């Protein structure tokens, strides 16, 4: 469903004609070499495209407009090989509508101490050329990522890869459509939000549909389509005996497959890559979508339960950022606690946890749901694989959207969970449950989250910066006194920033 193969980041180098054609030729050669090396890096998931060296305002402005118009360009990587007067970058930077990364490097790693002369000095001036470019970025209050280091270093490639993945997610969000079946679950506050502000600031659109629109596609599913999908279930999962061929609940598996066929068709027809539903609005469906939602998430769709479109958009962004990485990503909910030994969270949901985070082959099972008033739904049951992960939430604070991230460690449950009929993950939040939960609640974090073992906080920080969201990190270094001050300072900053 996702393909980074056609996506590009443009490598743009600055210089000027003052140094003469020979120097400019060297600048171009060095820049092309760096661009080729970055393009070949396994850490960078998109094509790095070398662009001609920029030496005047008109060419810069036109290049940046071309980047805006390009369907494949996710952002620009800029580097000042020599001194490039920053006033000539103003019109281009003012018009740029793509993420900007400023690479502060130089072509040579060591200085050639015994042979260095003024020709070398004139050519290799990024130490102050990038400072000139940095000033205009600061003066124009630009959102940009600054990466410092030698261009061949693995750390530089890793940081660039994080930025590129976030830029891919932002590129996707700018054209993302979220289908919302039914309304927000009644009287719940945190899953609400301003959809107009989201479209203005975060670019994606949230579109409401009656459940009857979905039911129509579900009813149109053919026996052949259902047979094919059920066969896939039989081979992909450990199917519980009642759901197997000849089992007493086999029809429920077919009903679940019918819902998946219809839901996929609806999302494809509307061009939606994220969606929400709610168990309060199921008219015409035999069961709440369970395995259908799980499998769609596994294919890259975003999802939010109970009408939570902000989490659906975040899950989609996390899916895009983690594409091709090991570990997966899922919609999640902080459900209940183990309060001994520093504290653990048992995360789960009624049905909808993505099998991409599973530690072993999921089992397809059927159990009562207790709410919703429908037939027992089919779902995939599994336990998440142990490892480091990030758990993130987006909330609407009225004058801005806030992204809250907690670094967590997913662990193997201390004891079996034979009576828990849903997919789940057990994790220890950093620095511990007491501090993490206090900070999370102080920040207004939702119970709905996006959990990803594939990503780091750096990916999400880059994404928050590109999308203009406030960013808060809870990790092993978090101290509540400092976190409380950060919340207070941020209130002042965002109040003033919205007035600029």
């Amino acid at each position: 469903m996702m393909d980074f193969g056609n996506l590009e980041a443009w490598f743009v180098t600055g210089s000027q004609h003052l140094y003469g054609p020979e120097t400019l030729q060297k600048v171009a050669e060095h820049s092309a070499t760096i661009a080729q090396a970055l393009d070949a890096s396994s850490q960078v998931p998109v094509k790095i495209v070398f662009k001609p060296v920029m030496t005047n305002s008109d060419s810069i402005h036109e290049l940046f407009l071309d980047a805006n118009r390009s369907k494949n360009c996710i952002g620009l990587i800029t580097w000042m090989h020599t001194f490039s007067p920053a006033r000539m970058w103003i019109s281009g930077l003012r018009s740029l509508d793509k993420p900007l990364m400023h690479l502060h490097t130089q072509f040579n790693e060591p200085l050639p101490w015994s042979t260095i002369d003024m020709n070398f000095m004139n050519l290799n001036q990024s130490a102050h050329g990038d400072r000139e470019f940095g000033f205009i970025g600061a003066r124009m209050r630009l959102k940009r990522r600054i990466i410092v280091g030698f261009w061949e270093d693995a750390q530089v490639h890793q940081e660039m890869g994080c930025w590129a993945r976030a830029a891919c997610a932002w590129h996707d969000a700018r054209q993302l459509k979220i289908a919302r079946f039914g309304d927000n679950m009644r009287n719940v506050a945190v899953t609400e939000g301003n959809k107009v502000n989201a479209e203005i600031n975060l670019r994606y659109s949230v579109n409401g549909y009656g459940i009857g629109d979905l039911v129509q596609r579900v009813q149109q599913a053919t026996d052949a389509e259902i047979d094919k999908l059920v066969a896939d279930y039989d081979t992909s999962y450990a199917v519980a005996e009642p759901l197997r061929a000849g089992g007493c609940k086999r029809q429920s598996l077919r009903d679940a497959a019918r819902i998946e066929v219809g839901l996929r068709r609806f999302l494809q027809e509307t061009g939606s890559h994220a969606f929400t539903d709610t168990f309060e609005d199921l008219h015409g469906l035999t069961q709440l979508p369970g395995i259908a939602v799980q499998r769609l998430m596994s294919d890259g769709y975003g999802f939010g339960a109970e009408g939570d479109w902000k989490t659906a958009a975040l899950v989609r962004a996390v899916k895009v950022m983690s594409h091709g990485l090991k570990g997966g990503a899922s919609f999640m909910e902080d459900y209940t606690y183990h309060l001994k030994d520093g504290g653990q969270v048992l995360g789960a949901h009624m049905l909808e946890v993505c099998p991409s985070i599973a530690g072993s082959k999921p089992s397809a099972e059927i159990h009562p749901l207790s709410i919703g008033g429908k037939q027992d739904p089919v779902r995939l049951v599994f336990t998440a694989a142990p490892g480091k992960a990030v758990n993130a939430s987006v909330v609407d604070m009225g004058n801005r959207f806030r992204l809250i991230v907690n670094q967590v460690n997913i662990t193997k449950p201390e004891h079996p969970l034979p009576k828990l009929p849903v997919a789940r993950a057990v994790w220890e939040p950093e620095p511990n449950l007491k501090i993490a939960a206090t900070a999370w609640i102080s920040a207004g974090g939702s119970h709905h989250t996006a959990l990803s073992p594939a990503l780091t906080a750096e990916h999400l920080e880059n994404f928050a910066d590109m999308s203009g969201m406030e960013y808060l990190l809870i990790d092993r270094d978090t101290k509540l006194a400092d976190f409380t001050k950060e919340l207070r300072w941020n209130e002042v900053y965002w109040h003033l920033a919205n007035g600029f």
Side-chain angles (χ1 to χ4, degrees):
M1 180 178 169
M2 284 173 283
D3 182 13
F4 288 174
N6 293 323
L7 298 181
E8 305 170 346
W10 292 3
F11 192 87
V12 182
T13 306
S15 187
Q16 59 178 320
H17 288 287
L18 175 67
Y19 305 108
E22 290 186 8
T23 297
L24 286 178
Q25 179 61 34
K26 277 292 183 184
V27 169
E29 291 174 3
H30 291 174
S31 300
T33 298
I34 293 176
Q36 290 168 6
L38 296 176
D39 183 58
S41 172
S42 61
Q43 296 279 350
V44 181
V46 299
K47 296 177 182 177
I48 304 299
V49 178
F50 168 71
K51 292 295 180 179
V53 176
M54 296 289 106
T55 56
N56 62 74
S57 179
D58 289 342
S59 61
I60 292 170
H61 190 212
E62 188 59 36
L63 179 71
F64 283 24
L65 292 178
D66 287 344
N68 290 344
R69 290 187 289 260
S70 172
K71 294 182 179 179
N72 297 330
C73 177
I74 62 160
L76 301 186
I77 302 169
T78 54
W79 172 50
M80 305 301 115
H81 191 316
T82 63
F83 195 81
S84 180
R87 285 178 58 189
M88 72 184 191
W89 291 85
I90 292 174
S91 62
L93 290 169
R94 190 167 50 217
S95 65
L96 184 64
D97 191 33
K98 295 286 178 79
L100 177 66
M101 193 255 279
H102 181 186
L103 177 62
H104 183 41
T105 190
Q106 64 183 26
F107 186 70
N108 57 295
E109 186 174 23
L111 281 175
W113 300 101
S114 62
T115 61
I116 190 169
D117 56 17
M118 285 311 300
N119 287 332
F120 180 93
M121 298 284 275
N122 285 334
L123 175 61
N124 298 282
Q125 296 188 57
S126 54
H128 66 293
D130 277 328
R131 283 169 167 77
E132 167 75 354
F133 187 73
F135 164 74
I136 207 62
R139 177 64 179 81
M140 296 176 69
R141 276 71 170 176
L142 296 177
K143 293 183 293 186
R144 67 205 196 280
R145 176 76 164 92
I146 301 168
I147 296 178
V148 178
F150 185 52
W151 54 274
E152 287 188 315
D153 286 350
Q155 179 66 24
V156 169
H157 290 198
Q158 182 270 327
E159 292 179 16
M160 292 186 69
C162 284
W163 174 85
R165 288 184 174 279
C168 289
W170 181 233
H171 181 77
D172 181 79
R174 293 155 66 96
Q175 50 204 333
L176 177 63
K177 296 178 182 178
I178 302 172
R180 198 163 179 246
F181 301 110
D183 199 3
N184 188 67
M185 192 167 69
R186 288 189 290 272
N187 294 324
V188 177
V190 74
T191 52
E192 288 282 16
N194 191 317
K195 293 185 282 292
V196 175
N197 280 352
E199 190 162 357
I200 292 171
N201 297 310
L202 304 180
R203 309 298 180 93
Y204 57 77
S205 63
V206 184
N207 308 299
Y209 298 95
I211 195 69
D213 295 329
L214 173 58
V215 170
Q216 183 182 32
R217 272 69 170 192
V218 171
Q219 292 173 342
Q220 291 171 348
T222 66
D223 286 341
E225 290 173 316
I226 295 169
D227 291 342
K228 182 178 179 181
L229 197 50
V230 168
D232 187 12
Y233 295 168
D234 287 336
T235 57
S236 299
Y237 313 114
V239 178
E241 186 174 349
L243 297 174
R244 296 175 193 165
C248 61
K249 294 290 186 179
R250 185 67 169 183
Q251 184 58 46
S252 293
L253 189 67
R254 293 185 62 83
D255 291 342
R258 179 182 291 277
I259 291 173
E260 181 176 343
V261 170
L263 185 51
R264 282 184 182 275
R265 179 168 292 139
F266 185 93
L267 296 174
Q268 291 167 0
E269 289 177 358
T270 59
S272 302
H273 289 142
F275 65 103
T276 73
D277 63 16
T278 170
F279 63 82
E280 292 183 324
D281 194 350
L282 297 173
H283 308 297
L285 295 179
T286 56
Q287 56 182 264
L288 180 65
I291 191 172
V293 173
Q294 293 176 292
R295 286 168 54 85
L296 282 161
M297 269 196 288
S298 188
D299 287 342
Y301 284 89
F303 173 76
E306 290 116 33
D308 189 352
W309 50 270
K310 298 189 301 299
T311 301
L314 179 60
V315 171
R316 170 63 181 182
V318 167
K319 288 286 186 182
V320 174
M321 277 185 270
S322 62
H323 177 60
L325 299 178
K326 294 181 179 180
S330 179
F331 170 77
M332 186 53 70
E333 179 172 281
D334 296 61
Y335 222 106
T336 191
Y337 291 140
H338 177 66
L339 290 177
K340 297 186 68 176
D341 306 321
Q344 294 178 326
V345 178
L346 174 55
H349 204 256
M350 296 181 299
L351 302 171
E352 310 96 343
V353 176
C354 179
S356 65
I357 67 170
S360 59
K361 188 175 184 178
S363 60
E365 302 179 15
I366 183 168
H367 301 278
L369 188 59
S370 304
I371 56 178
K374 293 290 180 180
Q375 295 178 7
D376 299 341
V378 177
R379 79 293 302 269
L380 298 175
V381 178
F382 55 85
T383 300
K388 291 185 176 295
V390 288
N391 201 33
S393 171
V394 170
V395 293
D396 186 345
M397 298 303 294
N399 63 342
R400 81 274 193 190
F401 290 93
R402 169 181 283 174
L403 177 61
I404 308 159
V405 178
N406 186 196
Q407 293 191 164
V408 304
N409 297 293
I410 301 175
T411 65
K412 182 180 178 180
E414 293 182 15
H415 302 283
L417 298 163
K419 294 186 177 182
L420 185 61
V422 292
R424 59 272 181 154
V426 177
W427 67 82
E428 298 171 352
E430 293 185 359
N432 55 54
L433 178 60
K434 183 178 179 64
I435 293 175
T438 302
W440 189 275
I441 292 171
S442 298
S446 175
H447 55 291
H448 286 172
T449 62
L451 177 73
S452 178
L455 298 180
T456 66
E458 185 179 352
H459 292 95
L460 291 163
E461 183 178 11
N462 276 298
F463 182 71
D465 184 58
M466 292 172 190
S467 57
M469 285 192 286
E470 178 189 6
Y471 175 78
L472 294 169
L473 174 63
I474 304 167
D475 64 3
R476 64 183 180 180
D477 297 322
T478 296
K479 295 179 175 57
L480 287 176
D482 293 338
F483 192 82
T484 300
K485 290 176 184 177
E486 185 177 3
L487 290 175
R488 292 171 178 167
W489 295 335
N490 284 7
E491 287 292 347
V492 175
Y493 168 78
W494 286 96
H495 177 74
L496 295 174
N498 287 336
F500 285 161

